[in-house]
Amino acid sequence: MHVIRRRDWEIPESQATPEHVYLSRRSLLSGAAAFAAGATLPLPAEAQRVADLPDPTADLYPVPRNEKYVLDRELTPERIATSYNNFYEFGFDKGIARAAQALPIRPWTVKLDGMVEKEQTVDIDDLIRKMPLEERLYRMRCVEAWSMAVPWSGFPMAKLVELAKPLSSAKYVRMETFLNPKVAPAQRLPLYPWPYVEGCTIAEAVNELSFMVTGIYGKPAPKQHGAPLRVVFPWKYGFKSIKSLVRVTFTDKRPVGLWEAAQGREYGFWANVNPKVPHPRWSQASEEDIGTGQRRPTLLFNGYGEFVADLYKDLENEKLFM
Ligand code: MTE
């Protein structure tokens, strides 16, 4: 029997999920077969075929480490980080790694559009091969009050902005995940405004910390971490770090992310980490390290203030920390 046991650091789902979503989800899922397969049954044949396809960029890894970004804690063991994921398209608990293998990630293109000199659709392998890949050790702090520290591989988001050539009138970047309800079971349920969307300002996008991730632990990223291309903003709550991108749009309108659209009282545009600003339903003062199980105090901007605090100097009237 597959028994799901909650680890000490996990917030009960009823707390970590927008309330209306949690309630409607319970009624929708009671008796629904969407996730009944759990993590133990074999994948259907087509999903298994997709899961077994080799990654055409595997020869590029490992990539050289950029030593500038140092950690104040141990790296999270690979087997823990790769089996404890948020990827709501594939299920609502942390054990979605197996289900995510059904996502076909080749062919894969990323559209760069909106307020740009010229719209482009780039092939993922061309993109990855032309970018300066490096490894960075970053902390990641989830809004649910858990954290990890992992070696991401990828390239600066500033390089993607450079490739897209936004017009000077563009102020924001809107990012969008794939929409494929055939393989992502939760996208068949009307609980969230799919596809997953997130956004940032152009100033944030070109900040040196903003990183386009293509790999982790010296290998191409597994699908549960957002292959073939995701973003990571290490000073923001993890929900801003959107996975499996298919579209990046430059715009003068502030994008509304999936969580903000679902529950704007709890999740906002900026979502910078701040231990002194609690989530409406729980404290953000400390976090549980999923690698060690230890609790540690949460740091302002997740400890990255020296890189990013200046971005927010003239924005005191904004809700910068939710
Ligand atoms: N991106 C998509 N498309 N769907 C998601 O559900 N979850 C977010 C973020 N990106 C999510 C997503 C949340 S809440 C977190 S904490 C991080 O991914 C988790 O990243 P990880 O699974 O690689 O640790």
Side-chain angles (χ1 to χ4, degrees):
M1 188 200 274
H2 180 64
V3 181
I4 298 172
R5 279 196 304 160
R6 194 181 305 291
R7 298 193 234 182
D8 288 350
W9 61 80
E10 291 181 11
I11 292 169
E13 187 193 22
S14 55
Q15 279 178 37
T17 307
E19 197 165 23
H20 78 279
V21 173
Y22 175 70
L23 295 174
S24 57
R25 171 194 307 169
R26 278 201 348 187
S27 51
L28 247 174
L29 290 190
S30 56
F35 305 108
T40 51
L41 295 180
L43 285 172
E46 175 54 16
Q48 189 59 54
R49 190 190 67 76
V50 167
D52 291 341
L53 292 173
D55 189 298
T57 58
D59 60 296
L60 298 173
Y61 299 86
V63 298
R65 179 174 295 175
N66 183 336
E67 303 287 351
K68 178 165 183 191
Y69 306 102
V70 291
L71 293 176
D72 57 350
R73 60 196 73 175
E74 292 293 305
L75 276 180
T76 303
E78 180 176 354
R79 76 188 152 73
I80 293 182
T82 55
S83 59
Y84 190 88
N85 303 97
N86 275 338
F87 205 164
Y88 274 67
E89 287 84 339
F90 293 101
F92 304 135
D93 64 24
K94 303 290 181 272
I96 53 72
R98 187 182 141 281
Q101 304 317 309
L103 178 67
I105 57 168
R106 294 296 188 287
W108 189 279
T109 58
V110 182
K111 193 169 184 188
L112 306 175
D113 66 357
M115 303 171 85
V116 290
E117 275 181 23
K118 189 167 179 280
E119 293 193 358
Q120 313 173 47
T121 299
V122 292
D123 174 76
I124 191 67
D125 295 312
D126 293 345
L127 180 70
I128 294 175
R129 284 185 188 278
K130 87 158 89 148
M131 287 295 163
L133 297 182
E134 61 183 53
E135 182 178 73
R136 295 186 182 188
L137 309 183
Y138 274 178
R139 295 179 289 275
M140 153 88 98
R141 169 62 156 81
C142 178
V143 74
E144 297 163 349
W146 56 265
S147 64
M148 63 180 188
V150 296
W152 299 115
S153 307
F155 56 90
M157 191 174 184
K159 291 282 172 197
L160 190 75
V161 175
E162 198 180 300
L163 177 72
K165 299 194 179 69
L167 304 178
S168 56
S169 45
K171 299 283 176 276
Y172 299 97
V173 186
R174 178 187 182 277
M175 292 160 280
E176 192 177 299
T177 295
F178 70 86
L179 185 64
N180 187 347
K182 276 198 195 130
V183 298
Q187 291 186 333
R188 285 178 231 143
L189 304 173
L191 293 173
Y192 296 99
W194 304 113
Y196 199 108
V197 164
E198 262 309 334
C200 66
T201 62
I202 293 197
E204 289 177 321
V206 300
N207 181 274
E208 67 168 285
L209 288 183
S210 302
F211 201 51
M212 302 306 301
V213 163
T214 60
I216 188 170
Y217 294 103
K219 289 172 272 196
K223 296 175 186 179
Q224 62 268 31
H225 278 301
L229 185 70
R230 75 176 294 176
V231 72
V232 166
F233 301 111
W235 72 98
K236 291 178 177 283
Y237 290 118
F239 70 88
K240 299 293 294 184
S241 293
I242 176 173
K243 298 178 172 182
S244 304
L245 289 175
V246 294
R247 187 173 175 196
V248 179
T249 306
F250 294 81
T251 167
D252 57 1
K253 301 202 173 46
R254 187 178 288 187
V256 179
L258 174 137
W259 290 104
E260 188 181 356
Q263 190 69 298
R265 216 175 50 82
E266 303 192 349
Y267 304 98
F269 172 75
W270 300 100
N272 296 314
V273 175
N274 188 335
K276 295 205 172 120
V277 179
H279 182 279
R281 286 181 284 130
W282 61 84
S283 164
Q284 296 291 23
S286 67
E287 64 204 46
E288 203 80 44
D289 177 329
I290 61 168
T292 62
Q294 282 166 5
R295 262 207 116 69
R296 58 168 70 243
T298 288
L299 305 169
L300 180 62
F301 294 115
N302 202 21
Y304 294 104
E306 64 175 299
F307 297 98
V308 297
D310 277 1
L311 289 169
Y312 307 106
K313 268 206 318 240
D314 302 321
L315 295 169
E316 288 82 12
N317 295 329
E318 296 270 348
K319 288 187 171 170
L320 291 172
F321 304 103
M322 64 163 280

